[in-house]
Amino acid sequence: MSLSTWRDTAARLLDTPRAQLITRVCLVVAGVILGASIAATHHTAADFDVFWTAASHWWDPYDPKIIEHIKAQMHITGYWPFAYPPTFLLFLYPFGQMPLEVAYPLWTGLSLGLFALVCSFVIRPMLAALLVVATPAVAFAITSGQSTLLMGSLILSAFLFLEKRPVLAGILFGVAACVKPQAMVMAPIILWGHWRTVGAAIVTGVLMIAA
């Protein structure tokens, strides 16, 4: 059997629904393990420490006295604001009820696992998504506990659904805007003409604000 025949056979096997499912499960598991493992080796994470502080004091996440008290407990210095809308606390609240040593690896593991899953629908061959999750930018997002991977997952998923499922795309865009609105400044231009998507995004935002 020639090399091209082997290659074609392998491509057909990897293109079956079962093989794709197994590959995606492996990517998610690898992402969760990698993210949690990296986070577990770091004692501080500038961004996630802010998230955790806000979530553990959800009733007043912008109170400077609370922030200064937590900074003193953690022996850290510098400017430490929670520069996110209150709607982001809907995601953060469960993590704020856990010890920081548990919440941080769990946050990064789940974020990277979700990002790896979404990348598997965008990148071909699918296994190349492993290269994406191993980039320095992703490593930086993990070590600082950023919201970047969550935002990337939401926005990429929204674009995947934009043409065939515009309402679902709008829901995802709306959630992304409620997490980090400053990352959605180009949305009115990009989504111009996709009025069902825009409507769904607005309704989603209103519902999350009401919650």
Side-chain angles (χ1 to χ4, degrees):
M1 186 178 293
S2 65
L3 179 60
S4 61
T5 304
W6 276 107
R7 186 172 59 245
D8 293 340
T9 302
R12 284 196 299 270
L13 290 174
L14 291 173
D15 200 38
T16 62
R18 177 176 293 183
Q20 290 181 358
L21 176 61
I22 293 173
T23 302
R24 289 193 171 103
V25 169
C26 291
L27 283 171
V28 171
V29 172
V32 170
I33 293 174
L34 177 62
S37 299
I38 293 176
T41 63
H42 285 73
H43 299 292
T44 59
D47 287 73
F48 187 77
D49 287 349
V50 173
F51 300 162
W52 182 82
T53 300
S56 58
H57 299 83
W58 56 268
W59 58 90
D60 198 1
Y62 305 102
D63 186 349
K65 294 181 181 179
I66 293 176
I67 295 174
E68 290 301 319
H69 177 68
I70 296 297
K71 285 170 61 177
Q73 283 186 329
M74 295 182 176
H75 306 289
I76 57 177
T77 59
Y79 189 53
W80 229 49
F82 179 63
Y84 287 79
T87 46
F88 187 28
L89 293 173
L90 295 173
F91 292 90
L92 297 177
Y93 177 79
F95 298 93
Q97 314 315 304
M98 308 173 190
L100 181 59
E101 296 78 9
V102 175
Y104 172 41
L106 184 61
W107 167 264
T108 54
L110 292 177
S111 297
L112 187 56
L114 178 62
F115 187 66
L117 175 63
V118 174
C119 285
S120 72
F121 288 93
V122 179
I123 299 171
R124 291 293 180 271
M126 192 182 299
L127 285 175
L130 285 173
L131 299 178
V132 174
V133 301
T135 58
V138 172
F140 179 75
I142 293 172
T143 54
S144 57
Q146 293 181 352
S147 61
T148 306
L149 298 178
L150 173 61
M151 284 296 296
S153 300
L154 289 170
I155 293 174
L156 283 175
S157 298
F159 277 113
L160 285 173
F161 290 117
L162 184 58
E163 297 299 331
K164 294 184 178 180
R165 303 188 67 178
V167 174
L168 179 55
I171 292 172
L172 293 168
F173 278 125
V175 172
C178 288
V179 171
K180 197 170 185 178
Q182 61 268 37
M184 302 295 292
V185 292
M186 297 298 293
I189 298 174
I190 296 171
L191 298 179
W192 188 265
H194 297 277
W195 304 123
R196 291 180 65 191
T197 300
V198 172
I202 293 172
V203 171
T204 299
V206 170
L207 291 175
M208 290 190 69
I209 291 172

